[in-house]
Amino acid sequence: MEQIREAKRISSESYFVQDKYYNNSYFFLNKEKGVLGIVSEYGNMGYVLDCTCKDFKDILIGIDPYYMLSKLKKPVFDLKGTVKNLREWILETRKENNCTKEQALEIWEMIEEIEQEGIEDEGYIFKFFNDNRFLIEEFECDFFCDVVSFLIAKKWTEHDKFFINYIWKSFIDLLKEEKGLVNE
């Protein structure tokens, strides 16, 4: 049985953006298939949007930049936001009488330890709480791992923000210029 159905050369348009730090970003666009590839100092990214019914460039021009960023990359773990979320959660859990004062205190101390150690790994948060599940077995929440997953905060790196606010914007400006939309 043949493993490859088709292999052929296709055409794509190429765009180049260089920032003030001389970091290069190359954008490769196949508008017929809705394919975008990016090779840059800010990461190598790609996205396929099967959009044969509409002009791919129009879609890229109109798309929310941070929505597009979420399609190209994933945000990173945010320790400060996670600690805040965990603290709010344990306070709410205690307020609703879903744990004892002693359980809440132990969990609070675990959260403080995570904060003091400056852990920047969401996997560690899962492992830490999973290893200490005996402290929380009496909680009414049967899906603690789901709760912890929900409480883990994410954020965009400064590189990601720079990319989407400047590099992506410049790429979109090139597309707008091509389509005669420079004054929008």
Side-chain angles (χ1 to χ4, degrees):
M1 179 180 195
E2 189 67 35
Q3 298 298 317
I4 305 299
R5 193 178 113 195
E6 183 178 19
K8 66 180 181 179
R9 183 180 188 281
I10 61 170
S11 63
S12 64
E13 298 176 35
S14 304
Y15 299 85
F16 173 75
V17 176
Q18 185 179 66
D19 65 26
K20 68 180 183 178
Y21 308 107
Y22 297 96
N23 294 315
N24 299 327
S25 295
Y26 300 89
F27 294 79
F28 304 97
L29 183 67
N30 179 283
K31 61 184 181 179
E32 288 80 32
K33 296 290 185 183
V35 176
L36 173 67
I38 304 167
V39 178
S40 87
E41 301 289 333
Y42 299 94
N44 301 324
M45 303 164 261
Y47 187 64
V48 178
L49 179 67
D50 191 13
C51 64
T52 53
C53 60
K54 190 173 180 188
D55 185 335
F56 188 46
K57 290 181 182 179
D58 286 340
I59 291 171
L60 292 175
I61 289 169
I63 204 163
D64 177 83
Y66 278 89
Y67 174 77
M68 190 65 202
L69 184 60
S70 73
K71 295 298 181 185
L72 295 169
K73 299 183 90 179
K74 299 296 177 213
V76 297
F77 176 72
D78 177 8
L79 175 63
K80 186 177 178 179
T82 298
V83 166
K84 178 183 177 281
N85 291 345
L86 289 169
R87 284 185 174 142
E88 288 173 0
W89 170 77
I90 197 63
L91 289 171
E92 188 65 28
T93 301
R94 179 68 188 120
K95 185 178 177 181
E96 294 174 358
N97 293 319
N98 289 334
C99 70
T100 66
K101 183 178 180 180
E102 293 76 24
Q103 288 173 316
L105 182 60
E106 282 193 68
I107 297 295
W108 193 271
E109 288 171 358
M110 291 166 59
I111 295 167
E112 284 183 351
E113 185 177 326
I114 289 168
E115 181 180 37
Q116 289 170 0
E117 290 183 20
I119 304 301
E120 291 292 336
D121 178 8
E122 67 186 271
Y124 178 86
I125 303 296
F126 280 109
K127 182 175 179 351
F128 190 86
F129 277 100
N130 194 47
D131 290 350
N132 294 289
R133 290 195 87 154
F134 65 91
L135 293 175
I136 52 172
E137 281 186 44
E138 293 177 38
F139 284 19
E140 285 185 12
C141 180
D142 293 330
F143 305 103
F144 186 73
C145 286
D146 291 340
V147 171
V148 174
S149 178
F150 178 73
L151 297 172
I152 290 179
K154 303 285 187 161
K155 66 179 178 182
W156 294 111
T157 67
E158 293 306 313
H159 260 82
D160 295 337
K161 290 177 193 175
F162 187 89
F163 173 82
I164 206 65
N165 291 326
Y166 297 100
I167 307 302
W168 178 260
K169 183 185 178 314
S170 295
F171 167 63
I172 295 302
D173 288 346
L174 287 171
L175 296 180
K176 285 179 178 179
E177 186 179 311
E178 260 183 30
K179 296 181 95 30
L181 304 171
V182 286
N183 292 331
E184 291 187 11

